[in-house]
PDB file of all heavy atoms in Angstrom:
ATOM      1  N   VAL M1243      38.902 -36.485  40.893  1.00 94.00           N
ATOM      2  CA  VAL M1243      38.029 -36.363  39.737  1.00 94.00           C
ATOM      3  C   VAL M1243      37.059 -37.530  39.722  1.00 94.00           C
ATOM      4  O   VAL M1243      37.454 -38.681  39.898  1.00 94.00           O
ATOM      5  CB  VAL M1243      38.834 -36.335  38.435  1.00 94.00           C
ATOM      6  CG1 VAL M1243      37.909 -36.345  37.218  1.00 94.00           C
ATOM      7  CG2 VAL M1243      39.733 -35.113  38.399  1.00 94.00           C
ATOM      8  N   GLN M1244      35.795 -37.216  39.484  1.00 96.00           N
ATOM      9  CA  GLN M1244      34.781 -38.248  39.372  1.00 96.00           C
ATOM     10  C   GLN M1244      33.842 -37.910  38.223  1.00 96.00           C
ATOM     11  O   GLN M1244      33.348 -36.786  38.118  1.00 96.00           O
ATOM     12  CB  GLN M1244      33.994 -38.386  40.671  1.00 96.00           C
ATOM     13  CG  GLN M1244      33.048 -39.568  40.687  1.00 96.00           C
ATOM     14  CD  GLN M1244      32.444 -39.818  42.051  1.00 96.00           C
ATOM     15  OE1 GLN M1244      32.515 -38.973  42.949  1.00 96.00           O
ATOM     16  NE2 GLN M1244      31.851 -40.977  42.231  1.00 96.00           N
ATOM     17  N   LEU M1245      33.608 -38.885  37.370  1.00 97.00           N
ATOM     18  CA  LEU M1245      32.722 -38.738  36.229  1.00 97.00           C
ATOM     19  C   LEU M1245      31.749 -39.908  36.233  1.00 97.00           C
ATOM     20  O   LEU M1245      32.172 -41.058  36.246  1.00 97.00           O
ATOM     21  CB  LEU M1245      33.515 -38.724  34.926  1.00 97.00           C
ATOM     22  CG  LEU M1245      34.557 -37.603  34.771  1.00 97.00           C
ATOM     23  CD1 LEU M1245      35.451 -37.871  33.573  1.00 97.00           C
ATOM     24  CD2 LEU M1245      33.861 -36.259  34.619  1.00 97.00           C
ATOM     25  N   VAL M1246      30.467 -39.604  36.222  1.00 97.00           N
ATOM     26  CA  VAL M1246      29.447 -40.635  36.275  1.00 97.00           C
ATOM     27  C   VAL M1246      28.464 -40.443  35.133  1.00 97.00           C
ATOM     28  O   VAL M1246      27.728 -39.454  35.097  1.00 97.00           O
ATOM     29  CB  VAL M1246      28.703 -40.627  37.620  1.00 97.00           C
ATOM     30  CG1 VAL M1246      27.664 -41.747  37.644  1.00 97.00           C
ATOM     31  CG2 VAL M1246      29.681 -40.791  38.771  1.00 97.00           C
ATOM     32  N   GLU M1247      28.456 -41.392  34.217  1.00 97.00           N
ATOM     33  CA  GLU M1247      27.581 -41.327  33.063  1.00 97.00           C
ATOM     34  C   GLU M1247      26.227 -41.962  33.375  1.00 97.00           C
ATOM     35  O   GLU M1247      26.137 -42.885  34.183  1.00 97.00           O
ATOM     36  CB  GLU M1247      28.214 -42.049  31.865  1.00 97.00           C
ATOM     37  CG  GLU M1247      29.577 -41.509  31.449  1.00 97.00           C
ATOM     38  CD  GLU M1247      30.735 -42.160  32.183  1.00 97.00           C
ATOM     39  OE1 GLU M1247      30.499 -42.899  33.170  1.00 97.00           O
ATOM     40  OE2 GLU M1247      31.887 -41.937  31.770  1.00 97.00           O
ATOM     41  N   SER M1248      25.198 -41.481  32.692  1.00 98.00           N
ATOM     42  CA  SER M1248      23.866 -42.036  32.853  1.00 98.00           C
ATOM     43  C   SER M1248      23.026 -41.724  31.625  1.00 98.00           C
ATOM     44  O   SER M1248      23.420 -40.934  30.777  1.00 98.00           O
ATOM     45  CB  SER M1248      23.194 -41.480  34.111  1.00 98.00           C
ATOM     46  OG  SER M1248      23.003 -40.081  34.011  1.00 98.00           O
ATOM     47  N   GLY M1249      21.870 -42.355  31.541  1.00 98.00           N
ATOM     48  CA  GLY M1249      20.930 -42.058  30.473  1.00 98.00           C
ATOM     49  C   GLY M1249      20.860 -43.078  29.360  1.00 98.00           C
ATOM     50  O   GLY M1249      20.033 -42.947  28.452  1.00 98.00           O
ATOM     51  N   GLY M1250      21.698 -44.085  29.406  1.00 98.00           N
ATOM     52  CA  GLY M1250      21.686 -45.094  28.365  1.00 98.00           C
ATOM     53  C   GLY M1250      20.465 -45.990  28.471  1.00 98.00           C
ATOM     54  O   GLY M1250      19.687 -45.919  29.420  1.00 98.00           O
ATOM     55  N   GLY M1251      20.305 -46.832  27.464  1.00 98.00           N
ATOM     56  CA  GLY M1251      19.182 -47.740  27.442  1.00 98.00           C
ATOM     57  C   GLY M1251      19.003 -48.376  26.083  1.00 98.00           C
ATOM     58  O   GLY M1251      19.860 -48.248  25.204  1.00 98.00           O
ATOM     59  N   LEU M1252      17.887 -49.050  25.926  1.00 98.00           N
ATOM     60  CA  LEU M1252      17.547 -49.716  24.671  1.00 98.00           C
ATOM     61  C   LEU M1252      16.595 -48.843  23.867  1.00 98.00           C
ATOM     62  O   LEU M1252      15.550 -48.418  24.372  1.00 98.00           O
ATOM     63  CB  LEU M1252      16.894 -51.068  24.964  1.00 98.00           C
ATOM     64  CG  LEU M1252      16.345 -51.836  23.768  1.00 98.00           C
ATOM     65  CD1 LEU M1252      17.469 -52.229  22.823  1.00 98.00           C
ATOM     66  CD2 LEU M1252      15.580 -53.064  24.243  1.00 98.00           C
ATOM     67  N   VAL M1253      16.969 -48.574  22.632  1.00 98.00           N
ATOM     68  CA  VAL M1253      16.123 -47.780  21.742  1.00 98.00           C
ATOM     69  C   VAL M1253      16.087 -48.425  20.369  1.00 98.00           C
ATOM     70  O   VAL M1253      16.997 -49.159  19.984  1.00 98.00           O
ATOM     71  CB  VAL M1253      16.616 -46.326  21.613  1.00 98.00           C
ATOM     72  CG1 VAL M1253      16.532 -45.606  22.949  1.00 98.00           C
ATOM     73  CG2 VAL M1253      18.042 -46.293  21.085  1.00 98.00           C
ATOM     74  N   GLN M1254      15.025 -48.136  19.630  1.00 98.00           N
ATOM     75  CA  GLN M1254      14.900 -48.638  18.268  1.00 98.00           C
ATOM     76  C   GLN M1254      15.678 -47.761  17.299  1.00 98.00           C
ATOM     77  O   GLN M1254      15.914 -46.578  17.575  1.00 98.00           O
ATOM     78  CB  GLN M1254      13.434 -48.685  17.858  1.00 98.00           C
ATOM     79  CG  GLN M1254      12.591 -49.673  18.640  1.00 98.00           C
ATOM     80  CD  GLN M1254      11.173 -49.755  18.130  1.00 98.00           C
ATOM     81  OE1 GLN M1254      10.670 -48.825  17.507  1.00 98.00           O
ATOM     82  NE2 GLN M1254      10.520 -50.879  18.387  1.00 98.00           N
ATOM     83  N   PRO M1255      16.100 -48.316  16.178  1.00 98.00           N
ATOM     84  CA  PRO M1255      16.745 -47.484  15.163  1.00 98.00           C
ATOM     85  C   PRO M1255      15.868 -46.293  14.813  1.00 98.00           C
ATOM     86  O   PRO M1255      14.660 -46.424  14.648  1.00 98.00           O
ATOM     87  CB  PRO M1255      16.904 -48.435  13.985  1.00 98.00           C
ATOM     88  CG  PRO M1255      16.991 -49.785  14.617  1.00 98.00           C
ATOM     89  CD  PRO M1255      16.042 -49.728  15.786  1.00 98.00           C
ATOM     90  N   GLY M1256      16.494 -45.129  14.709  1.00 98.00           N
ATOM     91  CA  GLY M1256      15.762 -43.905  14.447  1.00 98.00           C
ATOM     92  C   GLY M1256      15.313 -43.187  15.698  1.00 98.00           C
ATOM     93  O   GLY M1256      14.837 -42.047  15.621  1.00 98.00           O
ATOM     94  N   GLY M1257      15.461 -43.818  16.834  1.00 98.00           N
ATOM     95  CA  GLY M1257      15.053 -43.234  18.089  1.00 98.00           C
ATOM     96  C   GLY M1257      16.057 -42.247  18.637  1.00 98.00           C
ATOM     97  O   GLY M1257      17.105 -41.998  18.041  1.00 98.00           O
ATOM     98  N   SER M1258      15.729 -41.691  19.793  1.00 98.00           N
ATOM     99  CA  SER M1258      16.566 -40.673  20.422  1.00 98.00           C
ATOM    100  C   SER M1258      16.846 -41.029  21.873  1.00 98.00           C
ATOM    101  O   SER M1258      16.094 -41.759  22.517  1.00 98.00           O
ATOM    102  CB  SER M1258      15.884 -39.303  20.367  1.00 98.00           C
ATOM    103  OG  SER M1258      15.665 -38.884  19.035  1.00 98.00           O
ATOM    104  N   LEU M1259      17.929 -40.474  22.370  1.00 98.00           N
ATOM    105  CA  LEU M1259      18.340 -40.712  23.744  1.00 98.00           C
ATOM    106  C   LEU M1259      19.256 -39.582  24.173  1.00 98.00           C
ATOM    107  O   LEU M1259      20.031 -39.080  23.362  1.00 98.00           O
ATOM    108  CB  LEU M1259      19.067 -42.053  23.842  1.00 98.00           C
ATOM    109  CG  LEU M1259      19.108 -42.800  25.177  1.00 98.00           C
ATOM    110  CD1 LEU M1259      17.699 -43.145  25.638  1.00 98.00           C
ATOM    111  CD2 LEU M1259      19.945 -44.060  25.029  1.00 98.00           C
ATOM    112  N   ARG M1260      19.177 -39.175  25.428  1.00 98.00           N
ATOM    113  CA  ARG M1260      20.083 -38.164  25.952  1.00 98.00           C
ATOM    114  C   ARG M1260      20.918 -38.747  27.078  1.00 98.00           C
ATOM    115  O   ARG M1260      20.384 -39.254  28.067  1.00 98.00           O
ATOM    116  CB  ARG M1260      19.323 -36.936  26.458  1.00 98.00           C
ATOM    117  CG  ARG M1260      20.272 -35.789  26.836  1.00 98.00           C
ATOM    118  CD  ARG M1260      19.554 -34.541  27.313  1.00 98.00           C
ATOM    119  NE  ARG M1260      19.074 -34.663  28.677  1.00 98.00           N
ATOM    120  CZ  ARG M1260      18.800 -33.631  29.466  1.00 98.00           C
ATOM    121  NH1 ARG M1260      18.941 -32.392  29.015  1.00 98.00           N
ATOM    122  NH2 ARG M1260      18.355 -33.841  30.692  1.00 98.00           N
ATOM    123  N   LEU M1261      22.214 -38.638  26.929  1.00 98.00           N
ATOM    124  CA  LEU M1261      23.144 -39.086  27.942  1.00 98.00           C
ATOM    125  C   LEU M1261      23.607 -37.916  28.794  1.00 98.00           C
ATOM    126  O   LEU M1261      23.710 -36.787  28.316  1.00 98.00           O
ATOM    127  CB  LEU M1261      24.364 -39.752  27.303  1.00 98.00           C
ATOM    128  CG  LEU M1261      24.091 -40.870  26.291  1.00 98.00           C
ATOM    129  CD1 LEU M1261      25.409 -41.466  25.825  1.00 98.00           C
ATOM    130  CD2 LEU M1261      23.188 -41.936  26.890  1.00 98.00           C
ATOM    131  N   SER M1262      23.900 -38.200  30.048  1.00 98.00           N
ATOM    132  CA  SER M1262      24.414 -37.190  30.956  1.00 98.00           C
ATOM    133  C   SER M1262      25.698 -37.677  31.605  1.00 98.00           C
ATOM    134  O   SER M1262      25.908 -38.880  31.768  1.00 98.00           O
ATOM    135  CB  SER M1262      23.387 -36.872  32.048  1.00 98.00           C
ATOM    136  OG  SER M1262      22.201 -36.331  31.509  1.00 98.00           O
ATOM    137  N   CYS M1263      26.536 -36.741  31.971  1.00 98.00           N
ATOM    138  CA  CYS M1263      27.769 -37.039  32.675  1.00 98.00           C
ATOM    139  C   CYS M1263      27.898 -36.051  33.825  1.00 98.00           C
ATOM    140  O   CYS M1263      28.076 -34.850  33.599  1.00 98.00           O
ATOM    141  CB  CYS M1263      28.969 -36.929  31.733  1.00 98.00           C
ATOM    142  SG  CYS M1263      30.578 -36.984  32.550  1.00 98.00           S
ATOM    143  N   ALA M1264      27.789 -36.552  35.029  1.00 98.00           N
ATOM    144  CA  ALA M1264      27.921 -35.719  36.218  1.00 98.00           C
ATOM    145  C   ALA M1264      29.384 -35.669  36.635  1.00 98.00           C
ATOM    146  O   ALA M1264      29.994 -36.705  36.887  1.00 98.00           O
ATOM    147  CB  ALA M1264      27.064 -36.276  37.347  1.00 98.00           C
ATOM    148  N   ALA M1265      29.932 -34.470  36.703  1.00 97.00           N
ATOM    149  CA  ALA M1265      31.343 -34.284  37.005  1.00 97.00           C
ATOM    150  C   ALA M1265      31.534 -33.646  38.374  1.00 97.00           C
ATOM    151  O   ALA M1265      30.755 -32.790  38.791  1.00 97.00           O
ATOM    152  CB  ALA M1265      32.002 -33.415  35.935  1.00 97.00           C
ATOM    153  N   SER M1266      32.595 -34.058  39.047  1.00 97.00           N
ATOM    154  CA  SER M1266      32.929 -33.469  40.333  1.00 97.00           C
ATOM    155  C   SER M1266      34.421 -33.640  40.597  1.00 97.00           C
ATOM    156  O   SER M1266      35.091 -34.438  39.945  1.00 97.00           O
ATOM    157  CB  SER M1266      32.107 -34.104  41.464  1.00 97.00           C
ATOM    158  OG  SER M1266      32.384 -35.490  41.571  1.00 97.00           O
ATOM    159  N   GLY M1267      34.938 -32.880  41.552  1.00 96.00           N
ATOM    160  CA  GLY M1267      36.323 -33.021  41.953  1.00 96.00           C
ATOM    161  C   GLY M1267      37.319 -32.225  41.130  1.00 96.00           C
ATOM    162  O   GLY M1267      38.531 -32.366  41.329  1.00 96.00           O
ATOM    163  N   PHE M1268      36.844 -31.409  40.228  1.00 96.00           N
ATOM    164  CA  PHE M1268      37.722 -30.553  39.438  1.00 96.00           C
ATOM    165  C   PHE M1268      36.936 -29.364  38.911  1.00 96.00           C
ATOM    166  O   PHE M1268      35.705 -29.337  38.999  1.00 96.00           O
ATOM    167  CB  PHE M1268      38.378 -31.331  38.297  1.00 96.00           C
ATOM    168  CG  PHE M1268      37.423 -31.809  37.238  1.00 96.00           C
ATOM    169  CD1 PHE M1268      37.313 -31.143  36.031  1.00 96.00           C
ATOM    170  CD2 PHE M1268      36.640 -32.929  37.443  1.00 96.00           C
ATOM    171  CE1 PHE M1268      36.445 -31.578  35.048  1.00 96.00           C
ATOM    172  CE2 PHE M1268      35.758 -33.382  36.468  1.00 96.00           C
ATOM    173  CZ  PHE M1268      35.664 -32.707  35.277  1.00 96.00           C
ATOM    174  N   ALA M1269      37.662 -28.392  38.365  1.00 96.00           N
ATOM    175  CA  ALA M1269      37.019 -27.186  37.848  1.00 96.00           C
ATOM    176  C   ALA M1269      36.423 -27.474  36.479  1.00 96.00           C
ATOM    177  O   ALA M1269      37.015 -27.159  35.439  1.00 96.00           O
ATOM    178  CB  ALA M1269      38.017 -26.043  37.785  1.00 96.00           C
ATOM    179  N   PHE M1270      35.263 -28.058  36.492  1.00 97.00           N
ATOM    180  CA  PHE M1270      34.596 -28.504  35.270  1.00 97.00           C
ATOM    181  C   PHE M1270      34.510 -27.403  34.224  1.00 97.00           C
ATOM    182  O   PHE M1270      34.743 -27.642  33.040  1.00 97.00           O
ATOM    183  CB  PHE M1270      33.205 -29.020  35.633  1.00 97.00           C
ATOM    184  CG  PHE M1270      32.379 -29.462  34.461  1.00 97.00           C
ATOM    185  CD1 PHE M1270      32.595 -30.688  33.861  1.00 97.00           C
ATOM    186  CD2 PHE M1270      31.370 -28.644  33.968  1.00 97.00           C
ATOM    187  CE1 PHE M1270      31.825 -31.103  32.788  1.00 97.00           C
ATOM    188  CE2 PHE M1270      30.591 -29.046  32.898  1.00 97.00           C
ATOM    189  CZ  PHE M1270      30.831 -30.273  32.309  1.00 97.00           C
ATOM    190  N   ARG M1271      34.176 -26.214  34.624  1.00 96.00           N
ATOM    191  CA  ARG M1271      33.933 -25.125  33.684  1.00 96.00           C
ATOM    192  C   ARG M1271      35.173 -24.716  32.895  1.00 96.00           C
ATOM    193  O   ARG M1271      35.055 -24.021  31.877  1.00 96.00           O
ATOM    194  CB  ARG M1271      33.353 -23.912  34.402  1.00 96.00           C
ATOM    195  CG  ARG M1271      34.284 -23.311  35.437  1.00 96.00           C
ATOM    196  CD  ARG M1271      33.675 -22.070  36.058  1.00 96.00           C
ATOM    197  NE  ARG M1271      34.486 -21.512  37.119  1.00 96.00           N
ATOM    198  CZ  ARG M1271      34.267 -20.343  37.699  1.00 96.00           C
ATOM    199  NH1 ARG M1271      33.237 -19.603  37.315  1.00 96.00           N
ATOM    200  NH2 ARG M1271      35.065 -19.915  38.661  1.00 96.00           N
ATOM    201  N   TYR M1272      36.344 -25.123  33.343  1.00 96.00           N
ATOM    202  CA  TYR M1272      37.590 -24.773  32.664  1.00 96.00           C
ATOM    203  C   TYR M1272      38.128 -25.907  31.787  1.00 96.00           C
ATOM    204  O   TYR M1272      39.196 -25.756  31.188  1.00 96.00           O
ATOM    205  CB  TYR M1272      38.660 -24.374  33.675  1.00 96.00           C
ATOM    206  CG  TYR M1272      38.337 -23.109  34.437  1.00 96.00           C
ATOM    207  CD1 TYR M1272      38.462 -23.051  35.817  1.00 96.00           C
ATOM    208  CD2 TYR M1272      37.910 -21.965  33.760  1.00 96.00           C
ATOM    209  CE1 TYR M1272      38.167 -21.893  36.518  1.00 96.00           C
ATOM    210  CE2 TYR M1272      37.614 -20.801  34.444  1.00 96.00           C
ATOM    211  CZ  TYR M1272      37.748 -20.769  35.828  1.00 96.00           C
ATOM    212  OH  TYR M1272      37.455 -19.617  36.517  1.00 96.00           O
ATOM    213  N   TYR M1273      37.409 -27.006  31.705  1.00 96.00           N
ATOM    214  CA  TYR M1273      37.903 -28.163  30.975  1.00 96.00           C
ATOM    215  C   TYR M1273      37.152 -28.427  29.682  1.00 96.00           C
ATOM    216  O   TYR M1273      35.923 -28.373  29.626  1.00 96.00           O
ATOM    217  CB  TYR M1273      37.820 -29.416  31.844  1.00 96.00           C
ATOM    218  CG  TYR M1273      39.013 -29.611  32.739  1.00 96.00           C
ATOM    219  CD1 TYR M1273      39.156 -28.881  33.911  1.00 96.00           C
ATOM    220  CD2 TYR M1273      39.999 -30.541  32.401  1.00 96.00           C
ATOM    221  CE1 TYR M1273      40.255 -29.056  34.731  1.00 96.00           C
ATOM    222  CE2 TYR M1273      41.095 -30.723  33.224  1.00 96.00           C
ATOM    223  CZ  TYR M1273      41.215 -29.980  34.388  1.00 96.00           C
ATOM    224  OH  TYR M1273      42.297 -30.167  35.204  1.00 96.00           O
ATOM    225  N   VAL M1274      37.901 -28.724  28.640  1.00 97.00           N
ATOM    226  CA  VAL M1274      37.327 -29.330  27.449  1.00 97.00           C
ATOM    227  C   VAL M1274      36.883 -30.737  27.824  1.00 97.00           C
ATOM    228  O   VAL M1274      37.585 -31.441  28.547  1.00 97.00           O
ATOM    229  CB  VAL M1274      38.353 -29.380  26.303  1.00 97.00           C
ATOM    230  CG1 VAL M1274      37.795 -30.154  25.104  1.00 97.00           C
ATOM    231  CG2 VAL M1274      38.753 -27.971  25.892  1.00 97.00           C
ATOM    232  N   MET M1275      35.719 -31.123  27.349  1.00 98.00           N
ATOM    233  CA  MET M1275      35.189 -32.441  27.655  1.00 98.00           C
ATOM    234  C   MET M1275      34.883 -33.201  26.374  1.00 98.00           C
ATOM    235  O   MET M1275      34.671 -32.611  25.314  1.00 98.00           O
ATOM    236  CB  MET M1275      33.921 -32.325  28.504  1.00 98.00           C
ATOM    237  CG  MET M1275      34.130 -31.678  29.862  1.00 98.00           C
ATOM    238  SD  MET M1275      35.179 -32.667  30.978  1.00 98.00           S
ATOM    239  CE  MET M1275      34.165 -34.127  31.204  1.00 98.00           C
ATOM    240  N   ALA M1276      34.854 -34.509  26.492  1.00 97.00           N
ATOM    241  CA  ALA M1276      34.624 -35.355  25.333  1.00 97.00           C
ATOM    242  C   ALA M1276      33.719 -36.528  25.680  1.00 97.00           C
ATOM    243  O   ALA M1276      33.653 -36.967  26.834  1.00 97.00           O
ATOM    244  CB  ALA M1276      35.947 -35.875  24.779  1.00 97.00           C
ATOM    245  N   TRP M1277      33.032 -37.023  24.678  1.00 98.00           N
ATOM    246  CA  TRP M1277      32.317 -38.292  24.753  1.00 98.00           C
ATOM    247  C   TRP M1277      33.076 -39.312  23.910  1.00 98.00           C
ATOM    248  O   TRP M1277      33.473 -39.017  22.785  1.00 98.00           O
ATOM    249  CB  TRP M1277      30.890 -38.163  24.237  1.00 98.00           C
ATOM    250  CG  TRP M1277      29.944 -37.503  25.195  1.00 98.00           C
ATOM    251  CD1 TRP M1277      29.518 -36.212  25.176  1.00 98.00           C
ATOM    252  CD2 TRP M1277      29.304 -38.119  26.316  1.00 98.00           C
ATOM    253  NE1 TRP M1277      28.647 -35.980  26.211  1.00 98.00           N
ATOM    254  CE2 TRP M1277      28.497 -37.126  26.928  1.00 98.00           C
ATOM    255  CE3 TRP M1277      29.324 -39.408  26.863  1.00 98.00           C
ATOM    256  CZ2 TRP M1277      27.725 -37.391  28.063  1.00 98.00           C
ATOM    257  CZ3 TRP M1277      28.559 -39.668  27.990  1.00 98.00           C
ATOM    258  CH2 TRP M1277      27.769 -38.664  28.576  1.00 98.00           C
ATOM    259  N   VAL M1278      33.243 -40.474  24.487  1.00 97.00           N
ATOM    260  CA  VAL M1278      33.952 -41.567  23.838  1.00 97.00           C
ATOM    261  C   VAL M1278      33.103 -42.819  23.991  1.00 97.00           C
ATOM    262  O   VAL M1278      32.424 -42.978  25.004  1.00 97.00           O
ATOM    263  CB  VAL M1278      35.338 -41.779  24.478  1.00 97.00           C
ATOM    264  CG1 VAL M1278      36.102 -42.887  23.769  1.00 97.00           C
ATOM    265  CG2 VAL M1278      36.140 -40.483  24.450  1.00 97.00           C
ATOM    266  N   ARG M1279      33.133 -43.696  23.020  1.00 98.00           N
ATOM    267  CA  ARG M1279      32.328 -44.905  23.114  1.00 98.00           C
ATOM    268  C   ARG M1279      33.148 -46.139  22.749  1.00 98.00           C
ATOM    269  O   ARG M1279      34.172 -46.056  22.081  1.00 98.00           O
ATOM    270  CB  ARG M1279      31.092 -44.819  22.212  1.00 98.00           C
ATOM    271  CG  ARG M1279      31.395 -44.792  20.718  1.00 98.00           C
ATOM    272  CD  ARG M1279      30.121 -44.547  19.930  1.00 98.00           C
ATOM    273  NE  ARG M1279      30.356 -44.525  18.495  1.00 98.00           N
ATOM    274  CZ  ARG M1279      29.433 -44.236  17.585  1.00 98.00           C
ATOM    275  NH1 ARG M1279      28.199 -43.933  17.964  1.00 98.00           N
ATOM    276  NH2 ARG M1279      29.741 -44.247  16.295  1.00 98.00           N
TER     277      ARG M1279
END
């Protein structure tokens, strides 16, 4: 299993950002996924 996050950065309050997580090594489509910080 490999999970690689990307898309972070510096933003001002009120701004927007999109994060991505590239998954491999398992049947991604059959898994519940979560974001944790």
Side-chain angles (χ1 to χ4, degrees):
V1243 174
Q1244 188 171 14
L1245 300 169
V1246 181
E1247 302 88 349
S1248 63
L1252 174 64
V1253 296
Q1254 294 184 337
S1258 299
L1259 204 61
R1260 188 179 77 158
L1261 308 183
S1262 297
C1263 170
S1266 62
F1268 66 102
F1270 178 78
R1271 63 177 176 171
Y1272 295 132
Y1273 274 78
V1274 174
M1275 297 294 296
W1277 283 100
V1278 182
R1279 66 186 181 185

